[in-house]
Amino acid sequence: MKKKWFTGLVSVLLIVVAGFMNCTTASNTGTKWDETFDIVIVGAGIAGPLATLGAYEANPNLKILLIEATGLFGGGAARATGIFNPNLINARNDMDLGRAYWRAYMTNTTGGGHTAATEVTAREYGSYEIPGFPNYPKWEEIIYEARVMYDYLIKPAAQGGVGASDPQYGGYDANGLVTYAPTGEGGGMLMRGIRTAIEAKSDSISLYLNCRGEALIMENGIVAGVRATHNGQSKNIRAKKVILATGGFSGSYEGIAANGATNPAIDDTMRYIKTQANTASDGTGIQMAVDAGGVRLANTLIIGAGIQFTSGMHQAVGRAAPGNPKAANAFYMVTFMGPQPQLTSENFIVVDRDGNRFCDEGVLGIQMRGANSPGSNRMISHNKPPYWLIVPADTAGTASADPQGVPADNPAPRPRGGQGVNAGYQLSAAEIVAALDVAVNLTGEFTNEAFKAGSVAALGTAIGASNLAATVTTYNTIVQAAWNGTANADAEANGGQGKANNLLTNKIISAPGGSYYAVKIYPQTMGSFGGVATNGKCQVLNAANEVIPNLYAVGENANRDLYSINPTYGTTQVGGSSFTHYATMGWIAGSHAAANLNQ
């Protein structure tokens, strides 16, 4: 009898133990944990993966989790272009040079930024900056660690590094620096190499895509983990350290508004804006840190990045014209690439919702928002969306060296390279017009994004721009005067609404029977300056300037204090390529978190 009783008790205990083993764990404050890791990194742009690898190199025995809200590993970094900044990479060997470099950058009064290093003290350039910006201890930490991060990236994969110098992941440029846009792909090649390095360490590192960090979980006022949504399922993930690398706030209007980068004078356009950044860069990571006691940095800004049609529209044009392999590139060229004179037509104008010109069409490029900034930033400050690119059919193809279809009263345009995106061929007027015709007839999300009409007046009516006909007449008169030598089109101000740029030397006019097109365009952002206050190790600070235990923020989650404002030339970016110091910030945070796991 006793034996049966004992056997039954053991069976019950085994069932109970098995039940505990198969359920979520609970903390002493009631949180039920679905998974447990030593370090959780939220965001897989460039900073997050480098934080992951930095943590692994500091302690390969840890359990590390990297989560990404989207299905795209690399975020905005996968589309970035350029090289690693040599001034950062080489400064570790000469810290005086490194300090002098950013001092020279901050005090530059020529607008160019990359001037020779000069011996200038903080007192001498204090008038050029908002107090507290940049964060010099943090910046010096980045200068010191950039070389370490870079050496790890170029270390061959067989030796445990990323192997970024391998041509399949980027390779070297002529200066011996790893490039992340050797084929026009952007940073996708480098991010593939970084992902490969992470997946090779799967015994220690887990990667969850489509896993969005929603909030930090606090226990007794201390960061204890992350609440996330993974493939639609909510889960609580316990961690000793959390690193926020979710990007900035330029991916949504709500993020822009929450971080103070809009105001009534520009709000109409800010609601209309598109982003080149990861759309998950909506300020969530910044808000997570603020909710844990972090301090949101003031004087936030967004970075303008030219113009953009509705996202995916050129691919839609290509799908709708399977018999025209050049269609997608032709549409891309005359719209998104349109204002870059080395690639485009010389005859288009950009107008606002009323049909008025408001800027110099030849300089719609990457500029930071400010009073003197053209392009997308002029769209923002003008604040009269929607904006339209106006193109006459018979001169739309003057980007080609063949001036096909140019009306007799237009002089032959100067030949251009006229290459489509990564295509290596020239586009004629007929090919571009064919692509525009396809765009006009797109449906669904692209309905009413492009219009066609037989006259400028009819086109103005179609897009609701009442002043379009008068604007075109004035513009054509200016161009004619320039041809006659009676006016300088480059200096003419067109009633304060922008000049007739010397690169735009053709009239907005179509041959008899020709048509006119309007394509809706948007000001575009590529990132933001903001985030929360951190120290040199990227630990988040509270209002008393004290470290919030277990919490780090990197990249655009904590980048505002790396920038300064010159009253004449606007915002300057310390140290050149943000790609380099965001990667370094991640490396610093991951290394420090792993080395101080239980502190």
Side-chain angles (χ1 to χ4, degrees):
M1 182 68 180
K2 290 183 179 179
K3 183 176 181 179
K4 289 183 179 180
W5 176 86
F6 178 77
T7 302
L9 177 60
V10 170
S11 299
V12 170
L13 288 173
L14 288 173
I15 292 170
V16 171
V17 171
F20 274 115
M21 290 177 67
N22 289 308
C23 72
T24 57
T25 60
S27 70
N28 58 7
T29 58
T31 302
K32 292 184 177 180
W33 300 104
D34 299 292
E35 298 183 62
T36 298
F37 291 86
D38 292 305
I39 301 174
V40 172
I41 298 98
V42 186
I46 181 65
L50 264 297
T52 303
L53 292 171
Y56 176 86
E57 289 300 305
N59 189 343
N61 297 315
L62 300 181
K63 287 185 63 180
I64 304 166
L65 174 63
L66 173 62
I67 67 176
E68 165 56 38
T70 71
L72 175 65
F73 183 92
R79 299 184 294 275
T81 59
I83 60 173
F84 283 90
N85 187 284
N87 298 285
L88 284 177
I89 299 305
N90 297 322
R92 190 184 199 202
N93 297 326
D94 187 344
M95 287 297 288
D96 287 337
L97 172 64
R99 296 185 188 98
Y101 170 69
W102 53 248
R103 285 201 296 265
Y105 197 100
M106 299 310 301
T107 57
N108 173 42
T109 56
T110 65
H114 294 280
T115 59
T118 57
E119 291 301 320
V120 184
T121 67
R123 289 185 297 276
E124 291 174 305
Y125 62 81
S127 62
Y128 292 119
E129 66 189 50
I130 295 172
F133 303 105
N135 180 331
Y136 301 119
K138 179 176 174 179
W139 181 239
E140 291 195 6
E141 192 77 26
I142 291 172
I143 290 175
Y144 191 75
E145 292 297 329
R147 179 84 242 180
V148 180
M149 178 277 300
Y150 182 78
D151 286 345
Y152 178 81
L153 281 179
I154 64 175
K155 182 192 298 184
Q159 299 176 22
V162 171
S165 57
D166 189 313
Q168 67 174 319
Y169 297 139
Y172 288 116
D173 75 336
N175 298 313
L177 291 166
V178 165
T179 176
Y180 43 97
T183 65
E185 182 185 0
M189 295 176 69
L190 176 61
M191 295 313 299
R192 280 202 302 277
I194 291 173
R195 180 173 180 173
T196 299
I198 286 174
E199 291 176 340
K201 301 167 178 57
S202 58
D203 288 347
S204 299
I205 302 173
S206 299
L207 170 64
Y208 293 172
L209 299 181
N210 298 304
C211 185
R212 179 181 175 85
E214 305 285 359
L216 294 171
I217 299 174
M218 311 292 288
E219 288 192 338
N220 299 318
I222 303 296
V223 174
V226 176
R227 188 179 78 247
T229 301
H230 187 200
N231 291 326
Q233 299 295 315
S234 180
K235 59 175 59 177
N236 295 332
I237 306 172
R238 189 167 198 167
K240 295 179 180 178
K241 304 290 183 185
V242 175
I243 301 174
L244 299 173
T246 63
F249 54 79
S250 67
S252 74
Y253 170 76
E254 290 74 19
I256 291 170
N259 286 276
T262 187
N263 60 64
I266 61 174
D267 200 59
D268 285 355
T269 301
M270 298 306 284
R271 291 177 181 274
Y272 176 81
I273 207 163
K274 299 285 186 181
T275 185
Q276 188 185 63
N278 191 331
T279 53
S281 297
D282 58 4
T284 297
I286 298 170
Q287 189 61 52
M288 290 167 68
V290 170
D291 290 343
V295 178
R296 199 186 306 268
L297 294 170
N299 306 106
T300 55
L301 296 167
I302 60 168
I303 311 172
I307 65 170
Q308 178 180 325
F309 45 80
T310 297
S311 180
M313 195 170 178
H314 69 296
Q315 291 101 327
V317 168
R319 290 192 297 270
N324 180 2
K326 295 183 180 181
N329 275 351
F331 179 79
Y332 189 94
M333 175 179 166
V334 82
T335 51
F336 182 75
M337 301 300 287
Q340 297 192 23
Q342 71 273 24
L343 290 174
T344 76
S345 162
E346 291 186 335
N347 41 294
F348 62 87
I349 58 173
V350 175
V351 300
D352 62 18
R353 64 189 176 210
D354 299 320
N356 295 319
R357 290 179 66 233
F358 59 93
C359 68
D360 177 350
E361 289 87 348
V363 288
L364 292 177
I366 298 176
Q367 297 287 340
M368 297 179 184
R369 177 158 59 83
N372 299 320
S373 298
S376 60
N377 311 307
R378 288 297 301 274
M379 291 184 181
I380 293 171
S381 60
H382 189 62
N383 201 37
K384 290 186 178 180
Y387 300 104
W388 299 93
L389 185 74
I390 307 300
V391 184
D394 293 292
T395 54
T398 57
S400 170
D402 173 20
Q404 176 180 344
V406 178
D409 66 340
N410 260 356
R414 293 188 296 276
R416 300 277 186 205
Q419 295 183 347
V421 181
N422 303 327
Y425 53 72
Q426 293 182 327
L427 298 165
S428 69
E431 290 167 332
I432 293 178
V433 167
L436 289 169
D437 282 335
V438 173
V440 168
N441 292 304
L442 292 176
T443 58
E445 64 181 304
F446 305 113
T447 301
N448 296 331
E449 293 292 300
F451 289 85
K452 176 183 180 180
S455 69
V456 172
L459 187 64
T461 299
I463 65 175
S466 58
N467 295 337
L468 181 62
T471 294
V472 170
T473 297
T474 300
Y475 181 82
N476 288 343
T477 300
I478 296 167
V479 174
Q480 182 66 57
W483 295 347
N484 296 339
T486 58
N488 185 343
D490 204 18
E492 198 282 327
N494 195 12
Q497 297 301 318
K499 64 186 178 181
N501 187 273
N502 64 326
L503 295 171
L504 308 176
T505 55
N506 290 325
K507 293 181 180 180
I508 302 301
I509 188 170
S510 187
S515 300
Y516 298 83
Y517 294 87
V519 179
K520 192 179 292 184
I521 56 175
Y522 301 83
Q524 181 184 16
T525 69
M526 60 179 269
S528 58
F529 302 150
V532 293
T534 56
N535 63 12
K537 298 299 183 182
C538 301
Q539 295 170 287
V540 179
L541 304 175
N542 62 21
N545 207 37
E546 300 167 336
V547 168
I548 296 176
N550 306 334
L551 185 61
Y552 299 76
V554 296
E556 288 188 13
N557 280 172
N559 70 338
R560 180 63 189 88
D561 54 3
L562 296 180
Y563 300 84
S564 189
I565 291 181
N566 181 299
T568 302
Y569 297 103
T571 303
T572 55
Q573 178 176 324
V574 180
S577 171
S578 60
F579 198 95
T580 311
H581 55 261
Y582 293 172
T584 306
M585 290 168 71
W587 181 267
I588 291 169
S591 302
H592 188 269
N596 297 272
L597 194 66
N598 297 310
Q599 297 180 19

